[in-house]
Amino acid sequence: MEKSGKPGKRRWTVAEISLSILLLLVSCALAGLVVLYTSAVKEQSNRPSVSKSSTREGQLFRSDHNNVCTTADCVSAAAWLLQNMDKSVKPCDNFYQYACGGWLERHVIPETSSHHSVIDILRDKLEIVLKGVLETESEQDRDAVKKAKVLYSSCMNESLIEQRDSQPLLRLIESIGDWPVASDDWNTTTGETWSLEDTLATLTARYHKKVLLDMNVWTDDQDSRRHIICVRLLLITAQTISTVIY
């Protein structure tokens, strides 16, 4: 019998070496992803959770203070909204009282007005601001602003208005064909040459007052690519007549 010697070691092929390297790289990548995921979970858990801004009943929760506007305007607006609310009422029972109860309690309708709202308060504040702007001279004003200030100063010049009396109004009436009610011989002097079209054109072009008819350019309802001239009939009321005269 022949005794065999010690068997030799088996060598790895190129394909086996390549697969081993690829498996090692995939394992490293998976390990890196696991580490990143664990770090993200820990960072999320370490963030401050939603905390109560106050222990009083009815207060809301808020999470991140960085998302809250703390400028002077934001604080004033928030305080104004809170003052207008009535937190003693549940919103599901009476939402109007809940949202506006504080405002209704602190405001009353003035004797000179039939209604009172936030719009009225803002309009009064705006008029005060505009009064200050119109009464302040500035060399940097544009032409439109200068004209507005001239018009305002002329309206506030009561002594000159009393001195002129009704002459400006009479000249305006004469420029549009006089007024039959205030003229004894209108039919013989002006009535023969008076034209409704010319009078309407003068009021519209010179005085920017729309009488009887109102015209403007608008998008065609049937074809948005076109524009049409819209003509509508104005309702004659006491306010309309007063606006035209003055």
Side-chain angles (χ1 to χ4, degrees):
M1 295 181 64
E2 184 179 357
K3 187 177 181 181
S4 61
K6 185 177 181 181
K9 293 183 179 180
R10 179 177 175 275
R11 295 183 178 181
W12 286 17
T13 62
V14 176
E16 292 176 341
I17 296 175
S18 301
L19 290 175
S20 301
I21 295 175
L22 181 60
L23 181 61
L24 180 62
L25 293 176
V26 172
S27 301
C28 294
L30 291 175
L33 291 175
V34 172
V35 172
L36 291 176
Y37 177 76
T38 305
S39 301
V41 171
K42 289 183 178 180
E43 183 179 356
Q44 185 70 22
S45 61
N46 291 332
R47 287 184 180 180
S49 58
V50 177
S51 59
K52 279 189 175 181
S53 59
S54 177
T55 56
R56 293 180 299 175
E57 183 180 0
Q59 293 291 334
L60 300 178
F61 294 94
R62 60 182 182 184
S63 56
D64 192 359
H65 294 278
N66 296 328
N67 296 330
V68 179
C69 178
T70 57
T71 62
D73 293 335
C74 290
V75 173
S76 301
W80 182 74
L81 290 174
L82 291 175
Q83 289 178 353
N84 294 337
M85 297 173 61
D86 184 5
K87 296 183 179 180
S88 62
V89 179
K90 295 182 179 180
C92 295
D93 296 338
N94 191 338
F95 184 79
Y96 179 76
Q97 181 65 24
Y98 172 78
C100 307
W103 192 90
L104 296 174
E105 184 179 356
R106 292 183 294 106
H107 295 84
V108 295
I109 300 177
E111 296 180 355
T112 57
S113 178
S114 60
H115 65 280
H116 192 56
S117 65
V118 177
I119 303 299
D120 298 323
I121 297 176
L122 295 178
R123 182 171 56 247
D124 294 340
K125 292 182 179 180
L126 179 60
E127 290 179 355
I128 295 175
V129 175
L130 288 177
K131 183 175 183 295
V133 172
L134 294 174
E135 292 179 351
T136 304
E137 297 292 339
S138 176
E139 298 180 355
Q140 300 178 354
D141 290 338
R142 299 181 178 180
D143 292 339
V145 179
K146 292 180 180 179
K147 292 178 181 179
K149 291 183 177 181
V150 171
L151 178 62
Y152 174 79
S153 61
S154 64
C155 294
M156 298 302 295
N157 192 351
E158 297 181 359
S159 59
L160 182 60
I161 293 175
E162 294 179 357
Q163 180 181 353
R164 292 180 175 180
D165 197 24
S166 60
Q167 293 303 318
L169 177 60
L170 294 176
R171 287 197 298 268
L172 186 149
I173 294 176
E174 184 179 358
S175 66
I176 59 175
D178 211 343
W179 191 14
V181 178
S183 179
D184 297 332
D185 54 350
W186 185 85
N187 291 328
T188 58
T189 58
T190 309
E192 297 180 355
T193 60
W194 184 84
S195 172
L196 175 62
E197 293 81 359
D198 295 339
T199 303
L200 294 178
T202 302
L203 289 172
T204 303
R206 184 175 179 180
Y207 299 105
H208 304 286
K209 297 299 181 182
K210 305 296 179 62
V211 183
L212 297 181
L213 297 177
D214 183 18
M215 294 182 293
N216 53 21
V217 179
W218 196 253
T219 305
D220 190 353
D221 296 336
Q222 300 180 357
D223 187 357
S224 60
R225 297 171 299 179
R226 300 175 50 194
H227 289 79
I228 59 177
I229 298 177
C230 299
V231 181
R232 66 185 181 94
L233 180 65
L234 291 178
L235 297 177
I236 304 300
T237 61
Q239 183 178 2
T240 306
I241 298 175
S242 176
T243 304
V244 173
I245 293 178
Y246 295 102

